[in-house]
Amino acid sequence: MVVSKAWTLRQHFQGFPKASDFHLREETLPQPKNGQVLLEAVFLSVDPYMRPYSQTMMKEGDVMIGSQVAKVIQSYNPSFPVGCHVVSDCGWRSHWVCDGAELTPLLPDWPQDIPLSLALGAIGMPGLTALYGLEEVCEIKKGETLLVNAAAGAVGSVVGQIAKIKGCRVVGCAGTDTKVSYLKELGFDQVFNYKTVTSLEESLREAAPHGYDCYFENVGGKFSSVVMPQMREYGRIAVCGSISMYNDTTSQTGPYVHTYMIFKQLRMEGFLCARWKHKHQQSLRRLMAWMTEGKLRCNEHITSGFNNMPAAFMGMLQGDNIGKAVVKVPGQHTARQVYMQCNSTDS
């Protein structure tokens, strides 16, 4: 028998999450049966989507939702031998028993010098989200101008780099000068700190005097209201997130976008990357190829210790991270994790 740790939602968040909203419990797992495997968490993901999803898809007492890179430590399923690594959506758990139906094996030819944690970032859901938002929703073309906000996050930083690979001009914004410097290192054409500029409207106009063909939306709220008048005719908007609104206790209202949508003939579309699940393996290989060719770079903000899951989650929501926020379970990683290859920083 294995005793697993699990973080649960003690009470629904009211405004910004608090440490007291979470509860750490232990649960004894059953012995795996025929066809089942026992997983041990190696890296766990904390992502913005967990905040709104917790409100709509969870009840109090449920284990926090989320993905992890896990190692198979016991197996009665030939598809998942002992020692292999998988991506699992079993939530904030240290161990879990499952039949493998919802497990995603890592790419079989995963390079030795690429951290396995990237399966939760640039070579995982955030990378896929960036790729599909640009190609499937924005249908971005060479020579176009793209705006991406929350640009130093797990998704935004990949969005900008893929757009540059495709020959586009990229404008990004972030909330600290350190993040602005990082985005400039990645090759963004124009970057500014939205918290320190005198006028968001003027900063956007100076960065792209002729307007924006595509807008990758991660923030929502007032930011979007300022962007709409600066979209070019037939512009496309991929709505990935609205992190500025996730912790509101009172819903934000207007200005409204209808007039600009009509007269500029804009197309705005919300999306989830699971829509293109049939493309995932091919898309992950494309992302990995860009990574190994040096065209795609990443930064990870790694917090050590399963007990620090809530702190890592809250830190991510308030913008502590540059790039992907990940929690590492000490002692579980193998020699294949070469953190410095990805500019990781322990916290």
Side-chain angles (χ1 to χ4, degrees), residues 106-328:
L106 270 61
L107 293 174
D109 51 355
W110 192 280
Q112 292 289 323
D113 61 346
I114 300 294
L116 298 184
S117 51
L118 291 192
L120 301 175
I123 317 297
M125 181 274 288
L128 293 172
T129 299
L131 183 63
Y132 296 147
L134 288 175
E135 292 189 344
E136 304 291 341
V137 181
C138 286
E139 298 178 343
I140 199 162
K141 303 175 183 66
K142 182 178 180 180
E144 292 188 319
T145 298
L146 167 77
L147 171 65
V148 55
N149 50 19
V155 174
S157 58
V158 178
V159 167
Q161 292 181 82
I162 293 177
K164 290 302 297 179
I165 290 170
K166 291 180 171 292
C168 299
R169 185 170 184 275
V170 178
V171 176
C173 64
T176 71
D177 291 342
T178 301
K179 292 180 179 180
V180 168
S181 296
Y182 171 65
L183 295 174
K184 289 179 179 178
E185 291 176 8
L186 293 183
F188 282 53
D189 296 285
Q190 295 287 331
V191 193
F192 62 87
N193 183 341
Y194 72 93
K195 292 183 179 179
T196 58
V197 296
T198 303
S199 167
L200 177 59
E201 179 181 3
E202 288 303 317
S203 296
L204 288 170
R205 185 171 289 109
E206 289 174 10
H210 300 294
Y212 298 93
D213 300 287
C214 296
Y215 171 32
F216 199 105
E217 167 70 289
N218 291 310
V219 173
K222 295 179 180 179
F223 194 104
S224 287
S225 299
V226 178
V227 174
M228 288 299 167
Q230 300 192 38
M231 293 297 296
R232 300 187 69 185
E233 192 173 26
Y234 308 117
R236 289 89 67 201
I237 303 163
V239 183
C240 173
S242 56
I243 195 169
S244 72
M245 306 170 72
Y246 289 163
N247 294 303
D248 288 350
T249 54
T250 302
S251 297
Q252 297 182 33
T253 59
Y256 300 103
V257 302
H258 302 74
T259 300
Y260 298 111
M261 293 285 292
I262 295 167
F263 289 105
K264 289 178 176 285
Q265 302 185 72
L266 305 177
R267 176 162 57 85
M268 176 186 285
E269 182 178 347
F271 72 101
L272 300 172
C273 72
R275 189 196 310 182
W276 299 279
K277 188 175 182 179
H278 62 286
K279 292 187 174 185
H280 279 6
Q281 285 301 303
Q282 174 191 355
S283 299
L284 290 171
R285 289 186 181 280
R286 292 176 64 197
L287 292 164
M288 181 63 83
W290 285 331
M291 179 75 65
T292 56
E293 292 166 5
K295 296 178 180 178
L296 182 61
R297 297 166 55 195
C298 69
N299 194 81
E300 293 181 291
H301 184 96
I302 297 182
T303 300
S304 182
F306 184 79
N307 287 359
N308 292 321
M309 288 293 299
F313 176 61
M314 291 184 286
M316 176 274 304
L317 285 178
Q318 64 188 14
D320 289 352
N321 58 299
I322 296 179
K324 183 72 186 78
V326 178
V327 173
K328 176 182 68 175

Side-chain angles (χ1 to χ4, degrees), residues 61-113:
D62 285 351
V63 174
M64 285 293 298
I65 58 175
S67 300
Q68 60 176 254
V69 172
K71 184 177 181 179
V72 176
I73 60 172
Q74 192 173 357
S75 177
Y76 297 93
N77 185 327
S79 297
F80 301 99
V82 170
C84 74
H85 290 84
V86 298
V87 175
S88 168
D89 292 325
C90 65
W92 294 12
R93 288 183 164 97
S94 65
H95 297 80
W96 188 237
V97 172
C98 66
D99 63 7
E102 299 301 321
L103 300 181
T104 303
L106 270 61
L107 293 174
D109 51 355
W110 192 280
Q112 292 289 323
D113 61 346

Side-chain angles (χ1 to χ4, degrees), residues 26-60:
E26 292 187 347
E27 50 191 15
T28 301
L29 301 180
Q31 176 71 17
K33 300 177 182 178
N34 187 40
Q36 294 184 323
V37 297
L38 173 62
L39 303 176
E40 184 174 67
V42 181
F43 296 99
L44 298 101
S45 182
V46 287
D47 299 283
Y49 79 83
M50 296 172 179
R51 175 61 179 86
Y53 273 50
S54 70
Q55 209 72 27
T56 59
M57 299 181 64
M58 295 179 62
K59 60 182 183 295
E60 293 178 351

